[in-house]
Amino acid sequence: MKIAALRSMEDFDVPATANQIGKHSIEKGYYSGETGREKSFSWPFILACLNGDARVKRIKNERKNERGIYAYYLASKEAKIKFPGEEITGNETDDGNVTSKKETPYLEEDLHKLFVSYLKNEGVYAKTINHKQAKHVEPNQNWTHPDIVGVKFLNLTLAASARNFLNAVNKMDTFNIYSYELKREIQSDRELKEYYFQAVANSTWANYGYLVAFDINDNLLDELKRLNKLLGIGFIELSANPFESKIVCLAQYKNLDFDTISKLCKQNEKDFVPFIDNVKNIVSADEKYHDSTLRNFEYEICDKYFKANDYENIEKYCLEKHIPIDDTEEGVRI
């Protein structure tokens, strides 16, 4: 099976998905599988590639009409491979030269709905913070404002009298605040350092800070864990099926920084202030108003999300936004 895949890859001058390689191998007779067995071919091949075969390299699949998170090519053919984004688009510069332009298949903000769906499933209410809405916008504004903020309310299952007593003693024990920096992918050590320290800078105010990415180069995980141990920012790997997302590194707890919270409130009245005000309202609400205050926060302030197991709409959303969906032997993992 693997020999057939490698032979099939010899015929490709562009990176190909596992599904394409499987179909090609069957069509050319390299693999003696029966018609309709392409998917059963693809999944073992993906596993083989991920297990470190030095002859095979991979990149993120950016072909909108072909499913699969990754596309593969032979390392021996790298000099001849035509990568996505190298095609001529006909854009002319002032001196008449033609430049190429790489088309982005999906936007970073397209991942927000998937990520907040994961958070809601984990009990975290989340809201996107648009730094472009901030006052006194500066070039480094994205190092001040997180992409997404979240809150997890604690002890909501306590009896009303016990929860009210806890609130009166110390409201800080009733919730945790999260800050998230979300990226499409992290492929190099330079990107990891830049994005990680960006997450450090814009999460100083929160109890927990996380860097999040839809795709990360596996070779960077050791360095990521070292940075996490040193600086405390956690890491979450986001999946196209948000409920399969996973925490790779846990964030370390720290006390809230009210000076920075005050700064963010002054700079971003449109997104950040409503979030903070509603957290205050929820932990301070009388028992009879608590549920309605929480519902208002969830549906009026927080981002919209997919409910657990709503796979049909999740897949539809990913296809509309051109977000890569992983293939498995059963089909699409959504």
Side-chain angles (χ1 to χ4, degrees):
M1 193 174 288
K2 191 169 184 178
I3 294 174
L6 294 171
R7 185 177 177 185
S8 179
M9 292 175 73
E10 287 282 358
D11 298 337
F12 285 90
D13 292 326
V14 296
T17 66
N19 192 50
Q20 288 175 313
I21 295 168
K23 288 180 179 179
H24 183 77
S25 181
I26 291 173
E27 290 171 357
K28 291 293 185 179
Y30 302 151
Y31 175 62
S32 59
E34 299 174 1
T35 303
R37 291 187 61 188
E38 292 93 341
K39 288 180 180 177
S40 65
F41 175 96
S42 299
W43 181 239
F45 176 73
I46 290 176
L47 291 179
C49 290
L50 296 181
N51 284 335
D53 191 317
R55 295 170 290 182
V56 178
K57 291 189 176 183
R58 74 181 192 187
I59 63 170
K60 198 70 173 287
N61 175 36
E62 297 188 351
R63 297 183 182 276
K64 299 178 181 179
N65 60 346
E66 183 65 34
R67 289 176 175 172
I69 290 182
Y70 297 105
Y72 304 91
Y73 63 95
L74 292 178
S76 60
K77 295 191 62 176
E78 188 164 23
K80 300 178 181 179
I81 291 292
K82 189 174 184 181
F83 293 98
E86 294 180 346
E87 296 82 4
I88 299 300
T89 61
N91 295 325
E92 290 192 5
T93 61
D94 292 337
D95 58 7
N97 293 326
V98 177
T99 61
S100 63
K101 181 179 180 181
K102 187 175 182 179
E103 182 179 330
T104 302
Y106 64 94
L107 302 175
E108 184 179 288
E109 48 263 37
D110 292 334
L111 298 173
H112 282 219
K113 189 171 184 178
L114 296 178
F115 183 57
V116 300
S117 300
Y118 159 76
L119 292 177
K120 185 60 175 61
N121 198 54
E122 298 296 313
V124 177
Y125 296 82
K127 177 175 177 58
T128 292
I129 302 299
N130 187 351
H131 68 83
K132 296 179 182 178
Q133 301 285 351
K135 297 179 180 179
H136 313 299
V137 176
E138 301 171 355
N140 64 343
Q141 200 72 35
N142 59 342
W143 285 68
T144 301
H145 297 269
D147 289 326
I148 296 171
V149 296
V151 59
K152 188 170 189 176
F153 298 103
L154 311 176
N155 304 311
L156 294 184
T157 58
L158 291 177
S161 57
R163 187 168 66 245
N164 290 336
F165 177 69
L166 178 60
N167 290 352
V169 173
N170 189 354
K171 293 185 186 298
M172 295 298 293
D173 289 336
T174 62
F175 63 89
N176 285 325
I177 298 288
Y178 297 79
S179 172
Y180 303 99
E181 182 65 32
L182 178 60
K183 300 297 181 185
R184 292 174 67 245
E185 59 184 15
I186 306 175
Q187 295 297 336
S188 67
D189 184 73
R190 181 194 63 78
E191 288 180 340
L192 174 61
K193 296 294 198 304
E194 177 183 347
Y195 298 156
Y196 194 91
F197 284 102
Q198 184 179 352
V200 170
N202 62 29
S203 68
T204 57
W205 60 279
N207 295 126
Y208 297 96
Y210 277 93
L211 175 62
V212 186
F214 185 69
D215 180 42
I216 184 170
N217 187 328
D218 293 342
N219 294 329
L220 300 174
L221 293 180
D222 287 342
E223 179 64 9
L224 177 63
K225 292 174 182 178
R226 186 188 72 83
L227 291 171
N228 168 256
K229 185 176 181 180
L230 181 66
L231 299 171
I233 298 298
F235 179 76
I236 299 174
E237 187 172 5
L238 178 63
S239 173
N241 177 354
F243 311 113
E244 291 186 353
S245 302
K246 59 183 179 181
I247 297 177
V248 177
C249 300
L250 285 169
Q252 297 176 18
Y253 177 87
K254 57 185 181 297
N255 293 326
L256 296 179
D257 176 5
F258 288 96
D259 288 336
T260 303
I261 291 175
S262 177
K263 175 183 177 181
L264 291 171
C265 286
K266 291 176 181 178
Q267 289 188 349
N268 201 318
E269 296 178 356
K270 181 176 175 57
D271 289 333
F272 195 77
V273 169
F275 177 84
I276 294 298
D277 283 348
N278 276 268
V279 171
K280 181 262 295 180
N281 292 340
I282 291 168
V283 299
S284 303
D286 292 336
E287 179 64 22
K288 60 182 179 180
Y289 299 120
H290 182 269
D291 289 345
S292 61
T293 306
L294 184 59
R295 282 197 301 272
N296 179 76
F297 177 60
E298 178 178 357
Y299 296 114
E300 300 298 328
I301 303 300
C302 294
D303 287 10
K304 301 297 185 269
Y305 59 88
F306 293 108
K307 294 182 179 180
N309 302 320
D310 188 8
Y311 301 127
E312 181 178 350
N313 284 322
I314 293 172
E315 181 175 2
K316 181 180 178 181
Y317 178 84
C318 289
L319 293 176
E320 288 176 350
K321 300 295 184 180
H322 309 297
I323 297 172
I325 299 174
D326 199 6
D327 290 326
T328 70
E329 54 187 336
E330 289 82 18
V332 179
R333 193 173 66 195
I334 282 288

Short mmCIF file of all heavy atoms in Angstrom, two decimals, residues 41-75:
data_model
loop_
_atom_site.label_atom_id
_atom_site.label_comp_id
_atom_site.label_asym_id
_atom_site.label_seq_id
_atom_site.Cartn_x
_atom_site.Cartn_y
_atom_site.Cartn_z
N PHE A 41 -7.93 3.35 1.45
CA PHE A 41 -6.53 3.53 1.10
C PHE A 41 -5.98 4.78 1.75
O PHE A 41 -4.87 4.79 2.27
CB PHE A 41 -6.41 3.63 -0.42
CG PHE A 41 -5.00 3.93 -0.89
CD1 PHE A 41 -4.16 2.91 -1.27
CD2 PHE A 41 -4.53 5.24 -0.93
CE1 PHE A 41 -2.88 3.18 -1.71
CE2 PHE A 41 -3.24 5.50 -1.36
CZ PHE A 41 -2.43 4.48 -1.75
N SER A 42 -6.76 5.85 1.74
CA SER A 42 -6.26 7.16 2.16
C SER A 42 -5.86 7.19 3.63
O SER A 42 -4.84 7.74 3.99
CB SER A 42 -7.33 8.22 1.90
OG SER A 42 -7.64 8.30 0.54
N TRP A 43 -6.69 6.61 4.47
CA TRP A 43 -6.45 6.76 5.90
C TRP A 43 -5.13 6.10 6.35
O TRP A 43 -4.33 6.73 7.04
CB TRP A 43 -7.63 6.21 6.69
CG TRP A 43 -7.47 6.35 8.16
CD1 TRP A 43 -7.47 5.37 9.09
CD2 TRP A 43 -7.28 7.58 8.89
NE1 TRP A 43 -7.30 5.88 10.35
CE2 TRP A 43 -7.17 7.24 10.25
CE3 TRP A 43 -7.17 8.91 8.52
CZ2 TRP A 43 -6.98 8.19 11.24
CZ3 TRP A 43 -6.98 9.87 9.52
CH2 TRP A 43 -6.89 9.50 10.85
N PRO A 44 -4.84 4.86 5.97
CA PRO A 44 -3.54 4.28 6.35
C PRO A 44 -2.37 5.08 5.79
O PRO A 44 -1.32 5.18 6.41
CB PRO A 44 -3.60 2.88 5.75
CG PRO A 44 -5.04 2.58 5.63
CD PRO A 44 -5.69 3.88 5.29
N PHE A 45 -2.58 5.66 4.59
CA PHE A 45 -1.50 6.44 4.00
C PHE A 45 -1.22 7.69 4.83
O PHE A 45 -0.06 8.05 5.06
CB PHE A 45 -1.86 6.83 2.57
CG PHE A 45 -0.83 7.73 1.96
CD1 PHE A 45 0.40 7.22 1.59
CD2 PHE A 45 -1.07 9.09 1.80
CE1 PHE A 45 1.36 8.05 1.04
CE2 PHE A 45 -0.11 9.91 1.26
CZ PHE A 45 1.10 9.39 0.87
N ILE A 46 -2.27 8.36 5.29
CA ILE A 46 -2.07 9.54 6.13
C ILE A 46 -1.29 9.17 7.38
O ILE A 46 -0.36 9.85 7.79
CB ILE A 46 -3.43 10.17 6.52
CG1 ILE A 46 -4.10 10.81 5.29
CG2 ILE A 46 -3.26 11.23 7.59
CD1 ILE A 46 -5.48 11.35 5.55
N LEU A 47 -1.68 8.06 8.00
CA LEU A 47 -0.98 7.62 9.20
C LEU A 47 0.49 7.36 8.90
O LEU A 47 1.37 7.73 9.69
CB LEU A 47 -1.63 6.34 9.75
CG LEU A 47 -3.04 6.50 10.33
CD1 LEU A 47 -3.56 5.15 10.80
CD2 LEU A 47 -3.03 7.49 11.48
N ALA A 48 0.77 6.74 7.77
CA ALA A 48 2.15 6.44 7.39
C ALA A 48 2.95 7.72 7.22
O ALA A 48 4.10 7.82 7.65
CB ALA A 48 2.18 5.61 6.10
N CYS A 49 2.32 8.73 6.58
CA CYS A 49 3.01 10.01 6.38
C CYS A 49 3.31 10.70 7.70
O CYS A 49 4.38 11.26 7.90
CB CYS A 49 2.16 10.93 5.50
SG CYS A 49 2.06 10.39 3.78
N LEU A 50 2.34 10.65 8.61
CA LEU A 50 2.50 11.32 9.89
C LEU A 50 3.49 10.61 10.79
O LEU A 50 3.94 11.17 11.78
CB LEU A 50 1.15 11.46 10.59
CG LEU A 50 0.12 12.33 9.86
CD1 LEU A 50 -1.17 12.41 10.67
CD2 LEU A 50 0.66 13.73 9.62
N ASN A 51 3.80 9.38 10.48
CA ASN A 51 4.73 8.62 11.31
C ASN A 51 6.19 8.86 10.92
O ASN A 51 7.07 8.11 11.30
CB ASN A 51 4.41 7.12 11.24
CG ASN A 51 3.19 6.78 12.05
OD1 ASN A 51 2.86 7.49 13.00
ND2 ASN A 51 2.52 5.70 11.70
N GLY A 52 6.42 9.88 10.11
CA GLY A 52 7.78 10.34 9.91
C GLY A 52 8.56 9.74 8.76
O GLY A 52 9.78 9.60 8.86
N ASP A 53 7.92 9.36 7.67
CA ASP A 53 8.64 8.88 6.50
C ASP A 53 9.41 10.06 5.90
O ASP A 53 8.82 11.03 5.44
CB ASP A 53 7.67 8.31 5.47
CG ASP A 53 8.40 7.55 4.36
OD1 ASP A 53 9.44 8.05 3.89
OD2 ASP A 53 7.93 6.47 3.98
N ALA A 54 10.72 9.97 5.88
CA ALA A 54 11.56 11.08 5.43
C ALA A 54 11.41 11.35 3.93
O ALA A 54 11.79 12.42 3.46
CB ALA A 54 13.03 10.79 5.75
N ARG A 55 10.84 10.41 3.18
CA ARG A 55 10.67 10.60 1.74
C ARG A 55 9.46 11.48 1.40
O ARG A 55 9.32 11.92 0.27
CB ARG A 55 10.51 9.23 1.06
CG ARG A 55 11.74 8.34 1.14
CD ARG A 55 11.43 6.93 0.67
NE ARG A 55 10.56 6.23 1.61
CZ ARG A 55 10.16 4.98 1.47
NH1 ARG A 55 10.55 4.28 0.41
NH2 ARG A 55 9.37 4.40 2.37
N VAL A 56 8.62 11.73 2.38
CA VAL A 56 7.36 12.44 2.13
C VAL A 56 7.32 13.73 2.95
O VAL A 56 7.68 13.75 4.12
CB VAL A 56 6.15 11.56 2.51
CG1 VAL A 56 4.84 12.33 2.31
CG2 VAL A 56 6.15 10.29 1.68
N LYS A 57 6.91 14.80 2.29
CA LYS A 57 6.68 16.06 2.99
C LYS A 57 5.23 16.48 2.83
O LYS A 57 4.53 15.99 1.93
CB LYS A 57 7.61 17.16 2.45
CG LYS A 57 9.08 16.95 2.80
CD LYS A 57 9.90 18.17 2.44
CE LYS A 57 11.35 18.01 2.89
NZ LYS A 57 12.14 19.23 2.59
N ARG A 58 4.78 17.38 3.69
CA ARG A 58 3.38 17.82 3.61
C ARG A 58 3.29 19.32 3.78
O ARG A 58 4.15 19.95 4.40
CB ARG A 58 2.53 17.13 4.67
CG ARG A 58 2.76 17.68 6.08
CD ARG A 58 1.91 16.97 7.11
NE ARG A 58 1.95 17.70 8.37
CZ ARG A 58 1.42 17.28 9.51
NH1 ARG A 58 0.82 16.09 9.53
NH2 ARG A 58 1.48 18.00 10.61
N ILE A 59 2.23 19.89 3.22
CA ILE A 59 1.87 21.29 3.44
C ILE A 59 0.37 21.35 3.69
O ILE A 59 -0.35 20.39 3.43
CB ILE A 59 2.26 22.19 2.24
CG1 ILE A 59 1.47 21.78 0.99
CG2 ILE A 59 3.75 22.18 1.99
CD1 ILE A 59 1.61 22.77 -0.15
N LYS A 60 -0.10 22.51 4.15
CA LYS A 60 -1.53 22.69 4.34
C LYS A 60 -2.23 22.69 2.98
O LYS A 60 -1.79 23.35 2.05
CB LYS A 60 -1.78 24.01 5.07
CG LYS A 60 -3.15 24.12 5.72
CD LYS A 60 -3.22 23.18 6.89
CE LYS A 60 -4.50 23.39 7.67
NZ LYS A 60 -4.48 24.63 8.44
N ASN A 61 -3.30 21.91 2.86
CA ASN A 61 -4.05 21.86 1.61
C ASN A 61 -4.84 23.15 1.41
O ASN A 61 -5.64 23.53 2.27
CB ASN A 61 -5.01 20.66 1.63
CG ASN A 61 -5.90 20.64 0.42
OD1 ASN A 61 -5.48 21.00 -0.68
ND2 ASN A 61 -7.14 20.20 0.60
N GLU A 62 -4.60 23.84 0.32
CA GLU A 62 -5.30 25.09 0.05
C GLU A 62 -6.15 25.01 -1.21
O GLU A 62 -6.56 26.03 -1.77
CB GLU A 62 -4.29 26.24 -0.06
CG GLU A 62 -3.54 26.47 1.24
CD GLU A 62 -2.68 27.72 1.23
OE1 GLU A 62 -2.54 28.31 0.15
OE2 GLU A 62 -2.17 28.09 2.29
N ARG A 63 -6.45 23.79 -1.65
CA ARG A 63 -7.32 23.62 -2.81
C ARG A 63 -8.76 23.55 -2.34
O ARG A 63 -9.14 22.64 -1.60
CB ARG A 63 -6.93 22.36 -3.59
CG ARG A 63 -5.52 22.44 -4.15
CD ARG A 63 -5.19 21.21 -4.98
NE ARG A 63 -3.82 21.30 -5.46
CZ ARG A 63 -3.45 21.96 -6.54
NH1 ARG A 63 -4.35 22.61 -7.25
NH2 ARG A 63 -2.17 21.99 -6.90
N LYS A 64 -9.56 24.51 -2.74
CA LYS A 64 -10.91 24.66 -2.22
C LYS A 64 -11.82 23.48 -2.59
O LYS A 64 -12.78 23.20 -1.89
CB LYS A 64 -11.53 25.96 -2.74
CG LYS A 64 -10.77 27.20 -2.31
CD LYS A 64 -11.40 28.45 -2.89
CE LYS A 64 -10.62 29.70 -2.48
NZ LYS A 64 -11.19 30.93 -3.04
N ASN A 65 -11.51 22.81 -3.71
CA ASN A 65 -12.41 21.75 -4.19
C ASN A 65 -11.93 20.36 -3.80
O ASN A 65 -12.44 19.36 -4.31
CB ASN A 65 -12.55 21.84 -5.71
CG ASN A 65 -11.21 21.67 -6.42
OD1 ASN A 65 -10.17 21.75 -5.78
ND2 ASN A 65 -11.25 21.45 -7.72
N GLU A 66 -10.96 20.25 -2.92
CA GLU A 66 -10.41 18.95 -2.55
C GLU A 66 -10.31 18.85 -1.04
O GLU A 66 -9.61 19.64 -0.40
CB GLU A 66 -9.04 18.74 -3.19
CG GLU A 66 -8.46 17.38 -2.91
CD GLU A 66 -9.25 16.25 -3.54
OE1 GLU A 66 -9.80 16.46 -4.63
OE2 GLU A 66 -9.32 15.17 -2.94
N ARG A 67 -11.01 17.89 -0.46
CA ARG A 67 -10.99 17.73 0.99
C ARG A 67 -9.67 17.14 1.46
O ARG A 67 -9.01 16.41 0.74
CB ARG A 67 -12.15 16.83 1.42
CG ARG A 67 -13.51 17.50 1.29
CD ARG A 67 -14.61 16.53 1.63
NE ARG A 67 -15.90 17.17 1.63
CZ ARG A 67 -17.05 16.53 1.75
NH1 ARG A 67 -17.05 15.23 1.87
NH2 ARG A 67 -18.19 17.19 1.75
N GLY A 68 -9.37 17.42 2.70
CA GLY A 68 -8.14 16.94 3.30
C GLY A 68 -7.34 18.10 3.85
O GLY A 68 -7.13 19.10 3.17
N ILE A 69 -6.92 18.01 5.10
CA ILE A 69 -6.20 19.11 5.73
C ILE A 69 -4.82 19.29 5.10
O ILE A 69 -4.34 20.41 4.95
CB ILE A 69 -6.06 18.86 7.25
CG1 ILE A 69 -7.44 18.99 7.91
CG2 ILE A 69 -5.08 19.83 7.89
CD1 ILE A 69 -7.41 18.80 9.40
N TYR A 70 -4.17 18.19 4.70
CA TYR A 70 -2.81 18.27 4.19
C TYR A 70 -2.72 17.78 2.74
O TYR A 70 -3.51 16.96 2.28
CB TYR A 70 -1.86 17.45 5.05
CG TYR A 70 -1.76 17.94 6.47
CD1 TYR A 70 -2.37 17.26 7.52
CD2 TYR A 70 -1.07 19.12 6.76
CE1 TYR A 70 -2.29 17.72 8.82
CE2 TYR A 70 -0.99 19.59 8.07
CZ TYR A 70 -1.61 18.89 9.08
OH TYR A 70 -1.53 19.36 10.36
N ALA A 71 -1.72 18.31 2.05
CA ALA A 71 -1.33 17.81 0.73
C ALA A 71 0.12 17.35 0.83
O ALA A 71 0.93 17.93 1.55
CB ALA A 71 -1.48 18.91 -0.33
N TYR A 72 0.45 16.30 0.07
CA TYR A 72 1.74 15.63 0.22
C TYR A 72 2.54 15.66 -1.08
O TYR A 72 1.97 15.72 -2.18
CB TYR A 72 1.52 14.18 0.66
CG TYR A 72 0.71 14.04 1.92
CD1 TYR A 72 -0.68 13.92 1.86
CD2 TYR A 72 1.32 14.06 3.17
CE1 TYR A 72 -1.43 13.80 3.02
CE2 TYR A 72 0.58 13.95 4.33
CZ TYR A 72 -0.81 13.81 4.25
OH TYR A 72 -1.54 13.71 5.40
N TYR A 73 3.86 15.60 -0.95
CA TYR A 73 4.73 15.51 -2.12
C TYR A 73 6.03 14.81 -1.72
O TYR A 73 6.37 14.72 -0.52
CB TYR A 73 5.02 16.90 -2.71
CG TYR A 73 5.76 17.84 -1.78
CD1 TYR A 73 7.15 17.95 -1.83
CD2 TYR A 73 5.08 18.61 -0.85
CE1 TYR A 73 7.84 18.80 -0.99
CE2 TYR A 73 5.75 19.47 0.00
CZ TYR A 73 7.13 19.57 -0.08
OH TYR A 73 7.81 20.42 0.77
N LEU A 74 6.74 14.31 -2.71
CA LEU A 74 8.00 13.62 -2.44
C LEU A 74 9.12 14.62 -2.22
O LEU A 74 9.28 15.57 -2.97
CB LEU A 74 8.36 12.70 -3.60
CG LEU A 74 7.46 11.48 -3.82
CD1 LEU A 74 7.92 10.71 -5.05
CD2 LEU A 74 7.46 10.58 -2.60
N ALA A 75 9.90 14.40 -1.18
CA ALA A 75 11.02 15.29 -0.89
C ALA A 75 12.01 15.32 -2.06
O ALA A 75 12.60 16.36 -2.36
CB ALA A 75 11.73 14.83 0.38
#
